[in-house]
Amino acid sequence: MKQTITILGSTGSIGVSTLDVISRHSDRYQVVALTAHSRVNELAKQCVQFKPKFAVVGSVDAADALKAILAPYDLNINVLFGEAALCDVARECDVVMAAIVGAAGLAPTMAAAKAGKKVLLANKEALVMSGQLFMDAVRENGATLLPIDSEHNAIFQCLPHDFNLDSAQQGIAKILLTASGGPFLHRPINTLHDVTPEQAIAHPNWVMGKKISIDSATMMNKGLEVIEAHWLFAVPVDQIEVVIHPQSVIHSMVSYVDGSMLAQLGNPDMRTPIAYGLAYPERITSGVPQLDITKIAQLQFEKPDFSRFPCLAIAFDALRAGDTAPAIMNAANEVAVQAFLDKKIGFLMIPELITSVMNKIANSPVIDLDGVMEQDALAREAAMHFIASY
């Protein structure tokens, strides 16, 4: 019997790659729902090809536009809009690919976990904003959680899969998250104030959306992954290390107390972790070429420079602070990145804005999702005030 799949964020890079893998295995998977916020034309093309039961967009206007495009095809697709609809389609399947970028992906991803689904987690914010709440929902409802970020997927592949053992019992000494260093790894720091959005988006190895590409340039992306790794693998912050690896061939590593270090290697293509998550514990073809290790001239590693990448230091500090500090940081970063893309602030203003907001908004205990979202809203308001006064 085919597994039914909902893709939250189907027009983004992860969603497109997921559909590519699914198209190679139509005997195994059936798309039941596709969602996008406002990319109606792209979503319509996907609907025509994959014929889902549901299509969800962000607004009534986008829904009307999608219905108009799909009308000639007579596909009998139920077009919906809004957050409630996203949550509904996350419950109408066997597998959920959670690939909506930002805080907007939190509610439907949580809905999938509470419905006991197999959750392929490509949305960082679910764990960054509500780590303990989300992990509790997974455990209490019998959901299966598989990380799709290349780094966390690599770590998952390098760990023993006895989920009754904690990190100490598994003999984990350290988790090492690799990072390419982005497009400005060796650019003089005193020139970074001149960076343009176009330059920051130009990642040397990966093809990603604009927001994630900017986060890679600031290394906030890696900071978010540090927080994710803490929750996913129950590893203390002091046992998580970031290592710059410009070639992006080793996707992450696990160091063990006996001196062993296991690494997962592969070409930098998100279809590999997506295929692994879809078929786990089996393996299926992904469309990614085999890595020819003989053609790799060298593998380089270096420690990150926090003066070059202050956002990474901010993320470590937020994780150590705990409570809602990571949610406040994430909200401020989302606003800052969009402001940079809109050319309202400079590149170096991103960490300055985040720090300002975190100093202004009081940290508070994480009690429920509503409380997290209240802190998120306060942080966004403070970030917008910062931009307006800039």
Side-chain angles (χ1 to χ4, degrees):
M1 183 178 293
K2 293 182 180 182
Q3 293 186 62
T4 56
I5 299 175
T6 286
I7 303 178
L8 300 173
S10 65
T11 60
S13 60
I14 296 294
V16 170
S17 293
T18 302
L19 289 172
D20 181 85
V21 175
I22 288 173
S23 69
R24 300 169 189 273
H25 301 279
S26 57
D27 58 323
R28 297 179 63 124
Y29 307 109
Q30 175 64 51
V31 175
V32 70
L34 297 174
T35 85
H37 183 65
S38 57
R39 295 179 180 174
V40 173
N41 291 326
E42 293 94 324
L43 181 59
K45 291 177 182 177
Q46 293 176 344
C47 287
V48 171
Q49 180 178 356
F50 292 94
K51 300 175 176 60
K53 184 177 179 181
F54 303 99
V56 183
V57 289
S59 67
V60 64
D61 289 342
D64 289 341
L66 181 60
K67 289 176 184 178
I69 297 172
L70 294 178
Y73 296 95
D74 193 26
L75 293 174
N76 195 30
I77 296 173
N78 192 0
V79 177
L80 308 169
F81 67 92
E83 184 179 275
L86 289 174
C87 294
D88 287 341
V89 299
R91 304 182 186 102
E92 294 285 335
C93 59
D94 301 316
V95 182
V96 174
M97 170 57 77
I100 295 176
V101 176
L106 176 55
T109 306
M110 183 70 82
K114 289 183 176 180
K117 302 303 179 182
K118 178 180 177 181
V119 181
L120 308 184
L121 188 65
N123 168 277
K124 302 178 185 303
E125 290 72 22
L127 286 172
V128 170
M129 295 177 66
S130 62
Q132 191 64 63
L133 291 176
F134 187 81
M135 295 306 295
D136 287 346
V138 169
R139 283 188 290 266
E140 291 168 3
N141 295 282
T144 299
L145 181 62
L146 296 170
I148 298 302
D149 270 353
S150 61
E151 295 81 2
H152 301 105
N153 190 272
I155 293 164
F156 184 80
Q157 293 191 49
C158 293
L159 289 175
H161 291 176
D162 186 341
F163 302 106
N164 296 314
L165 301 179
D166 61 25
S167 61
Q169 292 171 317
Q170 291 176 346
I172 298 172
K174 188 178 293 185
I175 280 177
L176 297 99
L177 290 164
T178 56
S180 69
F184 308 131
L185 178 59
H186 299 297
R187 176 167 170 159
I189 295 177
N190 62 4
T191 69
L192 292 178
H193 62 276
D194 294 327
V195 164
T196 67
E198 293 74 21
Q199 291 170 329
I201 289 168
H203 195 281
N205 301 333
W206 295 92
V207 177
M208 305 180 292
K210 290 182 179 180
K211 195 270 181 182
I212 297 176
S213 296
I214 302 301
D215 282 348
S216 180
T218 65
M219 278 192 72
M220 176 57 84
N221 195 45
K222 205 56 50 179
L224 298 176
E225 290 172 9
V226 167
I227 299 172
E228 281 187 278
H230 165 73
W231 292 112
L232 279 169
F233 308 117
V235 175
V237 60
D238 293 332
Q239 287 178 251
I240 304 173
E241 183 177 333
V242 173
V243 178
I244 301 290
H245 169 51
Q247 291 80 23
S248 296
V249 170
I250 294 179
H251 298 303
S252 276
M253 298 169 274
V254 178
S255 178
Y256 288 92
V257 294
D258 63 0
S260 301
M261 182 177 287
L262 301 184
Q264 187 264 338
L265 287 71
N267 285 311
D269 191 313
M270 287 305 298
R271 290 177 296 175
T272 295
I274 289 168
Y276 183 84
L278 282 170
Y280 179 82
E282 300 178 57
R283 289 184 186 263
I284 57 175
T285 57
S286 65
V288 179
Q290 294 293 312
L291 178 67
D292 186 347
I293 201 166
T294 64
K295 292 184 178 179
I296 301 174
Q298 59 182 338
L299 298 176
Q300 298 171 314
F301 305 93
E302 61 184 270
K303 291 184 179 294
D305 179 357
F306 287 128
S307 64
R308 177 179 292 277
F309 300 114
C311 284
L312 181 58
I314 292 170
F316 269 105
D317 289 342
L319 178 55
R320 291 189 174 96
D323 295 329
T324 56
I328 294 168
M329 176 199 73
N330 176 75
N333 179 64
E334 286 190 21
V335 174
V337 169
Q338 189 58 54
F340 171 65
L341 286 169
D342 294 338
K343 300 184 178 180
K344 294 179 179 178
I345 64 171
F347 184 74
L348 293 180
M349 294 294 291
I350 294 175
E352 184 177 338
L353 185 156
I354 297 168
T355 299
S356 174
V357 171
M358 293 187 72
N359 288 336
K360 185 173 184 179
I361 305 299
N363 196 8
S364 63
V366 175
I367 299 173
D368 55 32
L369 203 55
D370 288 341
V372 172
M373 295 312 297
E374 286 176 9
Q375 290 290 85
D376 175 272
L378 288 172
R380 290 174 190 275
E381 182 180 352
M384 294 303 295
H385 178 75
F386 180 98
I387 294 166
S389 61
Y390 171 62

